[in-house]
Amino acid sequence: MNRFSDAAHRTLACEECHKDMASDQQPHPDDRDTAFLKADATRVYDYSRCKSCHRSTYERYLKGAHAEALKKELKEAVGASETNETKNRRAPTCGDCHSGHYAKSHLSRVETGRNMTLVCGSCHKPQMLSYLNNYHGKAAVNLGDPDSAYCSDCHGAHECIALKDGATARAACRRCHPEAGDSFARFVIHPVMADDALSDDSPASAREKETRVALIRVVTIIMSILVLFVVCFFYGHTFIWMLRELHEKLRRHGS
């Protein structure tokens, strides 16, 4: 309760979100069904109740990739048993990204962006790591630059656009780079293929990205070797030069 009293929803009564605390006509708590208390609250809660205060946000979510993934998950779950793999790959609901009890309001853009990076990274870890390894992530998260791009600046906060087609990617880039063209938008920001199993890409599109990612990795290796060679060469050259100078001093001193 102390944490809730400092959160964004602190002015709301419990009943405004939880109503009568019943799920599928089952009262809470139900002393006759101890398994009910073990249910995953994030999965069983009716998030349509969020619409009463966050209508536009909820409607954007319904149009997004996460909602589509949730529909697909629920459709496939009919008659199927849940495994550890499906638990780890569940589509996110409002409660997976937002804490209804403890999330604070009026955070700065940098604070919100840093929290967002961790939240998105909980499901998209390879993408988070690649983001933190490029200019956007380093400037935004590490340096706290409010003008740099966070996840939602490119993908949207609730629509969760994948930016797989050129026109959509170009529109996202032009929010910060007005002169961005087709070649600019084709730049691979996340050179990873970790989500292929969850992707709806066509085989041709997947092969194209795989080719680009492979090329990026090859170029990265070549450039790393080149940098290492140049550094070793000049450090070696400097060391040999120092030995020569020492030799000259010793020779002059001996003569």
Side-chain angles (χ1 to χ4, degrees):
M1 288 304 298
N2 288 334
R3 292 175 62 192
F4 178 75
S5 64
D6 194 35
H9 290 163
R10 61 185 178 273
T11 59
L12 300 179
C14 301
E15 294 81 2
E16 292 187 57
C17 297
H18 295 284
K19 308 300 181 184
D20 57 1
M21 297 293 291
S23 175
D24 296 329
Q25 308 305 319
Q26 193 172 11
H28 173 80
D30 186 358
D31 296 333
R32 296 169 298 177
D33 183 10
T34 56
F36 177 67
L37 295 177
K38 299 179 182 180
D40 189 342
T42 304
R43 310 309 292 180
V44 301
Y45 183 77
D46 181 8
Y47 288 101
S48 63
R49 297 173 183 173
C50 299
K51 184 170 60 174
S52 60
C53 293
H54 307 282
R55 176 174 293 276
S56 61
T57 300
Y58 184 77
E59 290 175 351
R60 287 199 301 271
Y61 167 79
L62 293 179
K63 297 177 182 178
H66 285 168
E68 288 297 322
L70 183 60
K71 291 178 184 178
K72 182 178 179 181
E73 174 191 313
L74 295 175
K75 183 178 180 180
E76 294 176 350
V78 177
S81 59
E82 189 173 42
T83 64
N84 289 331
E85 183 179 358
T86 56
K87 286 182 180 179
N88 294 332
R89 296 198 170 201
R90 295 186 305 191
T93 61
C94 304
D96 289 300
C97 300
H98 303 280
S99 172
H101 296 116
Y102 310 125
K104 296 183 179 181
S105 58
H106 305 298
L107 296 178
S108 68
R109 172 174 163 79
V110 173
E111 289 176 307
T112 302
R114 284 172 172 168
N115 292 338
M116 181 197 313
T117 302
L118 296 176
V119 170
C120 296
S122 63
C123 291
H124 304 285
K125 187 174 181 179
Q127 285 78 6
M128 179 187 72
L129 294 177
S130 66
Y131 165 74
L132 293 175
N133 196 42
N134 67 32
Y135 174 81
H136 287 160
K138 290 178 179 179
V141 177
N142 297 342
L143 300 180
D145 182 3
D147 294 327
S148 189
Y150 292 97
C151 305
S152 61
D153 292 312
C154 299
H155 297 282
H158 296 94
E159 300 91 334
C160 303
I161 303 170
L163 306 181
K164 294 177 181 178
D165 66 277
T168 306
R170 186 170 59 252
C173 293
R174 283 181 175 175
R175 295 171 191 164
C176 296
H177 308 280
E179 303 300 325
D182 292 339
S183 59
F184 188 98
R186 284 197 298 268
F187 184 81
V188 180
I189 297 294
H190 302 294
V192 296
M193 298 295 295
D195 285 346
D196 275 358
L198 303 177
S199 177
D200 293 328
D201 289 351
S202 64
S205 179
R207 284 195 299 270
E208 181 182 0
K209 183 179 180 181
E210 187 176 359
T211 301
R212 291 184 180 181
V213 171
L215 179 61
I216 290 173
R217 290 175 178 171
V218 170
V219 171
T220 300
I221 293 173
I222 293 175
M223 294 304 297
S224 299
I225 294 174
L226 179 61
V227 169
L228 181 62
F229 172 78
V230 171
V231 170
C232 291
F233 174 81
F234 281 103
Y235 270 103
H237 180 273
T238 301
F239 179 70
I240 294 173
W241 187 272
M242 291 173 63
L243 290 179
R244 181 178 181 278
E245 290 292 318
L246 178 61
H247 177 267
E248 290 294 327
K249 289 181 181 180
L250 291 176
R251 187 173 64 81
R252 287 195 298 268
H253 181 72
S255 60

